[in-house]
Every structure is written in C-alpha cells, then in structure tokens.
C-alpha cells in the first residue's frame, strides 16, 4: 500500500445557507482546496462526493458537482454512510491512492439540509435506523435514539443534565472563534438547561443543528505530495466498524460498541496504547451530534474510564491545556452538522491544527504531531476513526 | 372503530392541511408575480418554491414473517427461533445467518420484561406530528432479546431502570391499527 498525504483543504461557511445551492456550497470548499494545493481541476484523477441527500432536491450530487466544478468527464461517485459519510468518502479516496489506482483524488463532503422543513428533516433522519421496526410504528427520531443512551448513562452513573450541557458550553466556546462555524455565540449551562426538550433528557442545546455546509480535501500519493507541498499531513491509519440497524439489538446503552471496535483497530494498526491514547494525540475531533455522544466517545475511544467522562469534562480536561483538547472547531454542536460534510470537515480542521494555522484561541499546542478523528454514522450504525500525522508514517 | 380513527383519514388529512398551505402560497405568489419565488423569512434571500411535490409511500414485503402479523391479530407477539441452533431473532427473520439455513419455528414472546432505557419524543417527525408527545422504551425480555416500543404511562418521571413492563397488543389510537406497546405491571 502506498502512503497518502493531504495536500489541500477547503471549507465552506457552515450554517443556514438560503442564498446558495448545493453545487455552489460544494465549490466554495473545492476552490479553497485547489487554491491551497495550487493545482487545477485538470490535475484531479477522480473525485468522491460524500452526501446523504433526500432533504435536498438534486438526487445525483456527484454528477452535479462534477459539472459545476469543471471535472467532466472525470469519474466521481457519491459515497454514503449516514453521518459518517465524510470519513467514508475520505477512506474511499485514500484507498484509491494507496492501491495505486489514482495519484490525486478530490474528496467533497456536502449537505444542503435546509431545502426541507425541520419536521421533514426530523422525519428523514428518524427513519435512519431501522425503518420498519423502530420508525414505522414508534416514530423514533435521531435525538430520540441518542436520548436512549443519555437516559441509560444518566441513571447508571448519576450524571446530571447540567453535565451534558458542559459539553455544549465548551463547543460553543471554541465555535465562537471559528468564522466558518454555524453558531459563533458562547452559551452558559443555564441557557442550555433552559432550552426546550427535543427528546427528553436531551434538549435543543444538547443537539447539533440542521446545517448546510461543505468541506473538501485533496489527497495525493507520496511522489505527488512531495512535488506539491513541503508540509503535507499524512494519513496514518484507519479503524472502522458497524453497529446493528435495530437499536434494540445493542449490547448496552452507555457507549457505542462500533466506536470501541474502530478505536481498537486504529490503535493496534498505528501502535497506540489503547489505555492511554491521550499520550499520542495533540488534538481530537470526537463525533458530538449530541452532548451525550461526545461524553460516550471520550471513554469508548479510551481517553477516560466509562462513567468518569462528565468529571473530566467538568474539570475542563477537554479544553486546550487539558488531557485531550476535543472539538476545537466547535464540533458538530456549534460548528454544525451538515451530515455528508461533517467527517470531511473534521479532517480539514485537524490538518490545519497540525499545520498550526487555525484562529488564535483555538489552536492546540502541537507537540507530537498526531491528531485523531472519530466520525459516527447514525447512532453508532457506522463508525470511522482516523489518525493524521505531521511525520510520514 | 369509528371512521375518524382510520389511517386513511387521520394522517393524510393532517399532512394535506400543511401541504395545502404551501400550495396556496405558491398559487398566490405565482398569480401576483408570475414566478414561484418568495423571500426567505430568515435571510431575505430569494427562494424558488418547488412546484413539484414528491410523495412516497412504500409497499413492504412481509410474506416471510406473515405469522408475526397473524399473531398480532390473535393478540400474541411471536418471533422466530432457528430450529438448528436455537437462536431467537427479534425482529423475526426467516434466515439464520449462523447456520445459513432457512429453518425457523415461531415462538410466543413472554409477556413480561424489564425496562432498560427510554425517551420522550418531543420534537416529532412530520408523519407523527398529529400525535401528542410519546414515550419510547427498550425492554429486556426473558427470552434473551430486547424490544423497542411505546410505553403507555401518564408520566415518564415514574419510570425507572429495571421496572417490570408488560407487553400489550391492541388497536392503537388514533390510527386504529394493531400494534404492541408496554405498560408497567
């Protein structure tokens, strides 16, 4: 397998983008990535579009974006793995280069969720579990699925709803310094606590928003990367796993087994002690579709013991200067969760973190030069983990 | 069952009402301006209002698990057990991936289980938006599998982990078709 580097990154403004189409938002990110890599669309061998769609009008986003971005007749396909679509798309591109099939592949994650109304979006994401057995008769929602975990976690470990809100406070804190974030306002625990329930015990402020957005990456083989840039970021390794379609079939409701399997796979492949991953990574993006998701990821990824996540968060150990800085771009919670773009956006953020070029106040100190991404699809239906490094693997 | 309870009336009427509002909005805008373009209320951006509506209602095969639905009519919840290895599947399925054979028997599900976890669906999907907030729980059944279903109780605050739950089968308001739910014993 050949080594694969990230040589260009781009990210569109996340948010409520009533003024822009899916292709336009995608191109906002593509243009930035091409500019960074100082290459043209003619240099791209293939492109992968991460998009879930169904709430947006265009059913073939890969050909739409291919035409708009001047990529025809180059081949591009859509890749989908629910909210983990972004890392699934990145992995597909990675494999094309690692296998020797391509030298330069463009990854685009994009979602235009606000082409549908909120009840329609709630409907479509709610169906993304097991449609027949859990939605048809029982009307589950995405917050509802995570709320099942939140209830179990809260009751088991004596955690308070305020503890969940601490995650939202942190992510809004860092989101306020990210000009591309959907929400750039700081919030307090009190504000979070007074927001309405969307799926008890989860409240509006425990939840990532419905976001339009796009992110892009240019991946290249080692030879090409050397020609393009003197500061590539390297893809160090991957982990991945799936969970059951039916939530009723999960082994427990205090963590995601798919995350534990994907973490173990990644750590084994790149030589990380699974009991002490904080020693290896300078910064992490952990999938915080809901506050409870970030808490569970902290232990499922091995950073803290199960049941002690809220203590670590209360002690600000997930801020810069703590045990492991988490979601310094604002996370899904404040930066936003444009489903197909989210994982790609994580990689853009971590690449820039490792290159020490994000905004003041949210740049992690880069000591060892390793970063970690964790992207969950659905409610632990898909999980991808990814390690990036400054040094070549 | 009174006619105002049927699925045919209840849900589509609710969604049609919402849809009709949008349709009459388009009509008015087209009549006044010649184009289905309106200003986004949040940002003022001009938006094209889709003049085509996509309506989807799936038809879903159930032949291999028809016994499950016969059971519902008889007031019994049933599921499949592999005759080769004894594995019980819920939801029921005709194939055992462990044995790679299709050789199932139908068993009755015991009526009592223990509550594992639950939530209240406050922000509802469009197709459930005609209902009051509902409680959904996951219950551990003595035969070694879990069932996700609504919990019929006046307040979620009365629920506790491990609480004994009884499986109920019947016509569920307001749509009137037969399904299953849990109630505290």
């Amino acid at each position: 397998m050949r080594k694969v580097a990230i040589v260009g990154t781009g990210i569109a403004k996340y948010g409520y983008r009533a003024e822009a189409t899916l292709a336009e938002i995608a191109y906002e990110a593509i243009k930035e990535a091409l500019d960074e890599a100082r290459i043209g669309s003619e240099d791209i061998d293939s492109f992968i579009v991460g998009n879930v769609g169904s709430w947006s009008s265009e059913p073939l986003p890969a050909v739409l974006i291919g035409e708009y971005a001047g990529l025809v007749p180059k081949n591009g396909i859509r890749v989908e793995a629910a909210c983990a679509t972004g890392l699934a798309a990145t992995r597909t591109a990675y494999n094309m280069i690692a296998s020797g099939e391509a030298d330069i592949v463009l990854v685009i994650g994009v979602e235009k969720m606000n082409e549908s109304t909120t009840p329609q979006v709630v409907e479509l994401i709610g169906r993304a579990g097991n449609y027949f057995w859990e939605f048809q008769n029982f009307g589950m929602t995405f917050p509802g699925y995570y709320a099942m975990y939140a209830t179990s976690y809260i009751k088991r470990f004596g955690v308070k709803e305020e503890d969940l809100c601490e995650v939202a406070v942190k992510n809004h804190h860092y989101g306020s310094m990210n000009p591309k974030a959907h929400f750039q306002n700081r919030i307090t625990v009190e504000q979070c606590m007074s927001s309405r329930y969307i799926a008890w015990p989860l409240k509006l402020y425990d939840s990532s928003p419905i976001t339009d957005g796009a992110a892009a990456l240019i991946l290249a083989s080692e030879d090409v990367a050397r020609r393009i840039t003197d500061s590539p970021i390297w893809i160090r390794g991957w982990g991945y796993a799936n969970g059951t379609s039916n939530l009723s079939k999960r082994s427990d409701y205090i963590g995601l087994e798919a995350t534990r399997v994907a973490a173990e796979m990644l750590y084994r492949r790149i030589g990380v002690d699974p009991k002490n991953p904080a020693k290896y990574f300078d910064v992490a993006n952990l999938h915080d579709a809901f506050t409870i998701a970030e808490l569970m990821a902290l232990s499922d990824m091995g950073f803290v013991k199960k049941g002690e996540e809220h203590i670590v968060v209360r002690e600000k150990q997930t801020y810069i200067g703590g045990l492991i800085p988490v979601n310094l771009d604002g996370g899904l919670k404040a930066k936003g969760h444009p489903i197909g773009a989210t994982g790609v956006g994580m990689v853009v953020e971590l690449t820039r973190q490792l290159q020490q070029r994000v905004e003041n106040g949210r740049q992690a100190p880069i000591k060892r030069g390793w970063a970690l991404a964790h992207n969950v699809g659905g409610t632990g239906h898909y999980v991808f983990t990814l390690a990036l490094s400054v040094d070549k693997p | 069952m009174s006619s105002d309870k049927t699925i045919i009336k209840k849900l589509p009427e609710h969604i049609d009402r919402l849809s009709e509002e949008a349709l009459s909005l388009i009509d008015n805008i087209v009549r006044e301006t010649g184009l289905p373009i309106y200003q986004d209320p949040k940002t003022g951006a001009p938006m094209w209002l889709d003049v085509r509506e996509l309506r989807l209602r799936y038809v879903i095969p159930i032949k291999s698990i028809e016994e499950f639905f016969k059971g519902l009519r008889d007031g019994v919840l049933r599921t499949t057990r592999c005759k080769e290895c004894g594995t019980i599947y819920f939801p029921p399925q005709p194939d055992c991936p462990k044995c790679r054979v299709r050789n199932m028997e139908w068993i009755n599900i015991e009526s009592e289980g223990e509550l594992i976890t639950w939530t209240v669906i406050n922000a509802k999907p469009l197709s459930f938006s005609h209902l009051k907030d509902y409680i959904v729980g996951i219950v551990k059944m003595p035969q070694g599998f879990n069932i996700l279903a609504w919990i019929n109780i006046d307040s979620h605050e009365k629920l506790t982990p491990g609480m004994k739950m009884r499986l109920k089968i019947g016509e569920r308001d307001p749509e009137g078709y037969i399904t299953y739910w849990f109630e505290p014993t």
Side-chain angles (χ1 to χ4, degrees), chain A residues 16 18-19 57 112 114 117-120 122-123 126-127 130-141 143-145 147-153 155-156 196-202 246-250 253, chain B residues 40-43 45-47 50 56 58 60 62 65 68-69 89-93 116-128 134 136-138 145-150 156 159 161 172 177 179-181:
Chain A
Y16 180 78
E19 85 297 352
S57 53
K112 191 75 181 66
N114 285 300
T117 63
T118 297
Q120 282 167 329
V122 171
E123 169 101 18
R127 290 177 175 222
N130 189 282
Y131 174 70
F132 190 66
W133 292 96
E134 298 193 344
F135 184 90
Q136 174 79 202
N137 296 320
F138 308 122
M140 284 300 289
T141 61
Y145 282 122
M148 293 279 201
Y149 282 87
T151 303
S152 185
Y153 181 91
K155 300 283 178 190
R156 171 83 171 269
R196 67 188 162 89
Y197 285 108
I198 51 166
W200 179 94
L202 295 181
N246 278 285
L247 213 72
S248 66
K249 291 195 174 191
R250 298 294 170 80
Y253 300 92
Chain B
D40 176 58
K42 284 188 205 165
T43 64
M47 308 295 285
D50 199 346
L56 267 178
Y58 299 104
I60 299 163
I62 53 146
I65 53 163
F68 178 83
F69 301 96
Y89 291 90
F90 187 86
Q93 62 181 60
I116 301 175
T117 189
W118 65 95
T119 180
V120 186
I121 305 298
N122 311 108
K124 290 176 285 290
L126 180 63
S127 65
F128 284 79
Y134 41 88
V136 195
I138 296 174
F145 54 86
N146 303 332
I147 297 178
L148 178 145
W150 283 8
H156 72 88
L159 297 171
R172 190 179 74 188
Y177 69 95
T179 188
Y180 50 97
W181 64 87

